[in-house]
Amino acid sequence: MKNLNKLVLLLVIIGAVNWGLIGFFQFDLVATLFGGQASIMSRIIYAIVGLSGLYSLSFFNKVD
């Protein structure tokens, strides 16, 4: 379970960095790397990052 939490944290950080790039520079790194926002690979990455964000909500129970 510890490895899953680390993976989820990594994916949430990747998502946060991508949103930061979009906000500051209007540059979508995921879309650039995987062929545009509508490509199947980009959509899979967005979905996995989104699910990781939802899973990370469970971390709130562990924060003191």
Side-chain angles (χ1 to χ4, degrees), residues 26-62:
Q26 296 181 354
F27 177 72
D28 188 342
L29 181 62
V30 172
T32 301
L33 291 176
F34 295 105
Q37 287 183 337
S39 77
I40 191 68
M41 281 305 296
S42 291
R43 293 182 66 201
I44 290 170
I45 299 298
Y46 294 138
I48 291 171
V49 169
L51 290 173
S52 296
L54 290 175
Y55 178 82
S56 69
L57 290 172
S58 68
F59 297 164
F60 278 113
N61 293 336
K62 299 175 185 176

Side-chain angles (χ1 to χ4, degrees), residues 12-22 27 29:
V12 170
I13 291 169
I14 289 169
V17 168
N18 194 55
W19 275 110
L21 288 171
I22 291 169
F27 177 72
L29 181 62

